[in-house]
Amino acid sequence: MKLTVNPISILLILIMMVFVSGTSIFSHDVPSRDHGMLLIAQTDSTESLFSLTNLIEQGSPFLGDPLAPITVIDFSDFQCHLCARYVKNTEPLINETYIQTGQVALVFKHLPNRGFDSMGAHLAAQCTNEQGKFWQFHKLLYEDQQGIDSGWVNKDNLKKFASKIPGLEMGQFNSCFDSQSYSDFINNDIELANSQGFTDTPSFIIVNSLDGSDPEIIRGAQPFPAFQSVIEKKLEDPRK
């Protein structure tokens, strides 16, 4: 008995096979992409931008014990007069009371927004951090601060400030500064500040060092008691 094959039936069978195999391929791809997105979300949620470990690993200048339970994050501009007031009047008390006793770490974040010369000052400062001399440079700039964009932090003067720091290797500094090695780093700090709504300097976030949690914001060159009340409250937290 001779079998007859209907061409239309064959066509229908082929279409069904393509459809079924295509469905299995697509259904295999989707969970893979979803799984990747899930892993990214988990990573982002478990490592805070403001944990002390993360800030140190990124290369932000810091002062104090890396194991200090509380971190004060300072967003400042070297041409900012209020920042200079904070550095001269409040920061020494925070340092003496909390940083030197291992209870607080201080992290500096760049927010150059007070004048055209500010970016150069911050580029130079981050280059000194490369040699472990940031805080000496930080002190020199705020002690000798002059009018905004008056030329006091032009390129030549910034190199003169750097040359006053004992042990700073000027060849390495000049190479770093002239090439603007840290422009992306500083721009990232600016973006971070903007993401927190910081437009004025100084602005501060005080967090739990371990995971950057429980942030408290202080705006402006507030006196020592304003910082003390926040720090003491965090230190008394039983979760420490």
Side-chain angles (χ1 to χ4, degrees), residues 75 226 229:
F75 290 82
S229 63

Side-chain angles (χ1 to χ4, degrees), residues 87-98:
V87 167
K88 292 173 182 177
N89 299 327
T90 302
E91 191 173 273
L93 294 174
I94 296 174
N95 189 11
E96 178 185 348
T97 308
Y98 295 112

